[in-house]
Amino acid sequence: MSSLLNRSLIKNLDLFRSLSEAELDQALESAQSILLQEGAKVFAQGEEADRFFVLLHGHLKVVQVTPDGEQVTVRYVSPGEVFGIARAMRRSHYPATTLAVQESIVLAWPSSEWDQFIAGNPQFAFNALQTVGQRLQDAHSRIRELSTEEVEQRVARAILRLVDQSGAKTSEGIEISFPITRQDIAEMTGTTLHTVSRLLSQWKDRGLVNSGRKRITVCSLDELIRLAEGQHVGTGLGSDPVRGLTP
C-alpha cells in the first residue's frame, strides 16, 4: 500500500486529524498495513508486545484467558481506534489476544517507536491516554455490574454498549454492525451460553430484539434501556450474579 494511499486512509481519523500531510507521511514511514481475514489473530496473549496498531477497517475482538482456563471477551475494537498499546502501560507482553471478527485492515508500528511517535503527534498521545482511561473505567464498571447487578441488566448493558459503539439503523431497529455470537455476550457478562440464549429468546418474543446467526438487532431501544437500569427484571433469570450459578 503506497504512502499516498495510506495518508488518504488516516488523515480524517481523530488520531491524526491535526497532522499536516508531511507529518502524516512521516508517521507512516515505519507503518505496515495488514489485511486480516475473519478469525485471524493480530497478536496473542503473552506474546512480546513488539508492535502497536490502529484499526482502519472492520472489527476486532479482544479476549483473555484466565488462570483457570476460562475465556473472557474483554471488548471490541472499532475503526479509528488505537490498540495493542502495551508499551504505553509499560508492559512488555500483550495482556490479551486480539482477533478479527470480520475482514479487517490494521496499521502496525514497531513498539520501539512509541515514545518518539507520541512525542511528534500530541493528538495521538492525547487519544491514546483517553483510550487507556476509558478502558480502565469500563473494567471498573464491569466489575461493579458483576458484583451488584442481575443477569438481565448485565446482558442489556452489554448489548447497549455494542449498539452505542457500532449500531447501524435498519428497517427492524438498530443492528450491531459486526458479527457477534451468544457465546460472546455470555463471555462479556460473566454468565452462561444457556442463560443468554434463553434471555434473548424471551426478549425476541417480547419484541425487544431480533437475533440470528452472529447478528443482534435491537427493536425496542427504550425498553432495553429500562432493562439495563433494572426497571423491569421479570424473565426468571435474575439470580445469576456470576457465571456458573445459573443452571
Side-chain angles (χ1 to χ4, degrees):
M1 189 179 289
S2 70
S3 179
L4 181 60
L5 179 58
N6 279 340
R7 184 199 307 161
S8 72
L9 287 173
I10 70 168
K11 68 179 182 180
N12 292 321
L13 298 180
D14 288 341
L15 289 167
F16 300 97
R17 200 182 299 275
S18 64
L19 298 187
S20 67
E21 291 193 347
E23 289 170 328
L24 287 172
D25 287 341
Q26 182 178 3
L28 290 166
E29 283 182 0
S30 58
Q32 177 189 7
S33 61
I34 303 171
L35 174 64
L36 300 164
Q37 300 301 322
E38 179 179 347
K41 290 181 182 179
V42 186
F43 51 78
Q45 181 174 337
E47 285 184 352
E48 182 181 356
D50 58 353
R51 293 184 293 179
F52 64 95
F53 308 84
V54 171
L55 178 62
L56 297 181
H57 171 76
H59 283 88
L60 310 174
K61 178 169 69 171
V62 181
V63 300
Q64 280 186 324
V65 177
T66 65
D68 60 1
E70 184 178 11
Q71 180 170 293
V72 177
T73 297
V74 178
R75 64 185 182 88
Y76 286 83
V77 182
S78 294
E81 288 189 43
V82 59
F83 66 100
I85 53 175
R87 180 67 177 268
M89 295 179 283
R90 298 298 183 257
R91 301 189 66 159
S92 59
H93 295 79
Y94 295 116
T97 296
T98 299
L99 49 90
V101 297
Q102 59 188 170
E103 185 176 273
S104 303
I105 300 173
V106 303
L107 287 180
W109 287 264
S111 289
S112 58
E113 297 189 10
W114 172 260
D115 292 337
Q116 179 182 351
F117 194 90
I118 61 173
N121 188 346
Q123 186 62 41
F124 187 97
F126 176 75
N127 278 277
L129 182 62
Q130 279 193 318
T131 295
V132 173
Q134 184 61 52
R135 290 173 191 170
L136 286 173
Q137 182 178 337
D138 289 346
H140 292 157
S141 295
R142 290 182 66 177
I143 292 170
R144 174 184 54 78
E145 291 166 10
L146 286 168
S147 301
T148 64
E149 294 184 354
E150 296 179 335
V151 64
E152 188 168 48
Q153 287 179 265
R154 300 202 304 269
V155 174
R157 284 188 190 277
I159 292 175
L160 286 173
R161 286 194 190 102
L162 295 172
V163 165
D164 184 61
Q165 180 180 1
S166 300
K169 290 185 178 180
T170 69
S171 58
E172 286 186 291
I174 305 176
E175 181 182 68
I176 298 171
S177 62
F178 55 85
I180 184 165
T181 67
R182 296 183 177 193
Q183 181 63 41
D184 292 330
I185 297 294
E187 291 176 5
M188 292 176 68
T189 55
T191 187
T192 64
L193 173 60
H194 180 62
T195 296
V196 171
S197 295
R198 283 198 294 159
L199 188 54
L200 290 181
S201 295
Q202 291 182 14
W203 285 359
K204 183 176 181 179
D205 292 341
R206 293 163 56 187
L208 274 66
V209 302
N210 190 13
S211 59
R213 187 177 181 274
K214 295 187 178 182
R215 291 291 177 186
I216 296 177
T217 300
V218 176
C219 305
S220 179
L221 185 62
D222 290 343
E223 182 64 16
L224 198 64
I225 291 172
R226 285 192 286 270
L227 286 171
E229 294 174 348
Q231 295 183 21
H232 298 286
V233 182
T235 62
L237 298 175
S239 57
D240 184 26
V242 292
R243 183 190 301 271
L245 295 187
T246 294

